Amino acid sequence: MALRSQIIGTGSYLPSRVVMNKDLEEVLDTSDEWIQQRTGILKRYWAAQDESTSDLALKASEKALESAGVDKKEIDLLLLATVTPDHEFPGSACFLQAKMDIPGIPAIDVRQQCGGFIYALSMADQYIRTGTYKNVLVVCSELHSRCLDLTPRGRNLSVIFGDGAGAIVLRAADITDPENQPHVISTKIHSDGSQAKELWCPGPGTALKRKERVTMEMLEEGVQYPQMNGRAVFSRAVRTMSESLLESLTSNGKELKDLNLAFFHQANKRISEAIGKTMSLSDDLIHSTVEDIGNTTSATIPIGLDDAVRKGKLKKGMLISNVAFGSGFTWGHALIRW
Ligand code: COA
């Protein structure tokens, strides 16, 4: 018998405003054809002006709690992953905690970009395995549309990202039959900070070594917008997520044939297709959402899990591997018996 984490509920929220590729053509000097060919993205969702990252997180969390049948007062740890926080500090988890009215429990921000979900899940799992916490809410929320350079200068990045939130509820369970009882089998997280500037947002920040944290000059330079070496990120993402998928299986004595569904971080459809080709995975083994919601950074995997549950594609007993890669570089896996 071992104490393990069970995912007992999922939820997601996408804002109501749909932004088609065509809507970006003029403002970004791009085309629907270019975006579809290079990324596979057809549309994404953008938040309303009166919505914040913690507002999106709240809606996804409420749905996850409802699907888990858990009262918010039963949650004893709150983890929120985001690269687009409500404010510089304190963390957005604190703002979400206030909106949920669950004071007293720890509310922690996870700042691991596209790896945010795997990192947060891994942290939740360690706390549950050690018996420290029993019911954990992991929520990933991104509001990119207000943080992007929406001019032709930023078009390589601004066409990719979308807003949205995904959440899961984990509960501690005694596992006596690991092949059949749902639980998180393993998580593994990695980073390589030597590549930090391949995909990053330079400002505002102290390392810019200006007189003040924010100056008009910096804003004119555009240091407040994300920057990316797209080709370097692309090739490393394919290689690393392929290796992580294999790591998730081999480290647990499993093979590709045992896998029922794979959830890759949804950065670009061509990345998942290249992984599928490299590893000879059939299309129906990869759950894809990027066409309809774009890249929602930390939120892509939990939104994908909720989508697959609601479509009846993700069923009890399945063996699923979740794999993410992103800025940092950070990456990792979570192998789960659903
Ligand atoms: N619309 C039209 N043209 C665009 C464009 C856009 N949105 N973005 C870039 N271009 C142009 C560039 O100006 C360049 O033109 P040039 O050849 O005349 O100089 C050309 O397209 C190629 O630019 P490049 O940036 O090399 O494109 P790419 O083929 O690498 O594709 C990405 C760009 C972003 C789609 C691709 O690199 C990618 O998906 N990278 C990984 C992204 C990712 O995973 N990010 C998140 C990780 S978590």
Side-chain angles (χ1 to χ4, degrees), residues 30 34 38 114 155-156 159 228 230-231 233 265 267-268 271:
T30 186
W34 193 97
R38 303 289 181 117
C114 299
R155 66 182 178 173
N156 68 327
V159 297
M228 174 174 71
R231 291 189 183 186
V233 173
H265 169 58
N268 180 330
I271 293 180

Side-chain angles (χ1 to χ4, degrees), residues 53-63 96 99-100 139 165:
T53 298
S54 62
D55 290 331
L56 310 191
L58 176 65
K59 289 190 171 138
S61 301
E62 286 170 346
K63 290 183 186 176
L96 174 62
K99 285 174 186 169
M100 292 180 73
V139 52

